[in-house]
Amino acid sequence: PFLFKLHSPNDYIVGGGFFTKYSVLPMSLAWLAFGEKNGATSESECLARIRRYRKGNALSPDPEIGCIVLERPFFFPKSDWIPVPSEWKKNIVQGSGRFSQNVASALWNEVELRLGAMPVVDGLVMCP
């Protein structure tokens, strides 16, 4: 599982998906492959977001970025967003941080409760 957390101060889990593959690609190729699924409405906006997150670093005109491919993505309605566990740091990023099995199990139980309440069409979880 791969969960989507909003940036602080909006500390909520809002959805997720299931990890399939990770690759490093030039930003231009990632844009050609995924377009708006990169989370931006244009290639120039995508590049601007990368530059914002890489402040102070020299940046090539076509930087390499990590691309995470997910299967069966899902998004919760706002009323079902899950507050992040209090043990999480405010600036946690993917793949980092350690927390107890109890915290992880409790969080995943919350996710499963919400997923179980969502209709499934052709193997895809559909949000109301």
Side-chain angles (χ1 to χ4, degrees):
F2 188 101
L3 299 177
F4 303 141
K5 178 197 167 297
L6 297 178
H7 290 272
S8 192
N10 300 308
D11 296 315
Y12 293 94
I13 304 296
V14 299
F18 297 89
F19 180 86
T20 301
K21 184 176 183 172
Y22 175 85
S23 350
V24 176
L25 299 173
M27 196 275 317
S28 60
L29 184 56
W31 184 260
L32 285 173
F34 303 109
E36 291 183 1
K37 292 176 186 173
N38 281 296
T41 59
S42 69
E43 187 174 358
S44 60
E45 180 186 341
C46 188
L47 182 59
R49 287 181 177 195
I50 293 166
R51 290 182 192 274
R52 184 177 69 217
Y53 288 115
R54 294 186 181 175
K55 289 180 197 174
N57 296 333
L59 189 61
S60 77
D62 194 11
E64 290 189 331
I65 61 172
C67 299
I68 298 170
V69 179
L70 302 176
E71 292 182 357
R72 297 178 288 150
F74 54 89
F75 297 90
F76 302 131
K78 190 172 184 175
S79 60
D80 285 340
W81 287 0
I82 303 168
V84 299
S86 59
E87 291 85 352
W88 283 17
K89 296 178 183 173
K90 296 291 182 190
N91 61 349
I92 193 170
V93 295
Q94 110 267 344
S96 69
R98 295 271 181 230
F99 40 91
S100 72
Q101 183 64 38
N102 290 341
V103 170
S105 293
L107 176 57
W108 188 245
N109 286 339
E110 291 295 324
V111 170
E112 285 185 319
L113 283 172
R114 285 153 178 81
L115 287 176
M118 293 179 169
V120 176
V121 177
D122 294 327
L124 299 174
V125 176
M126 307 301 288
C127 295

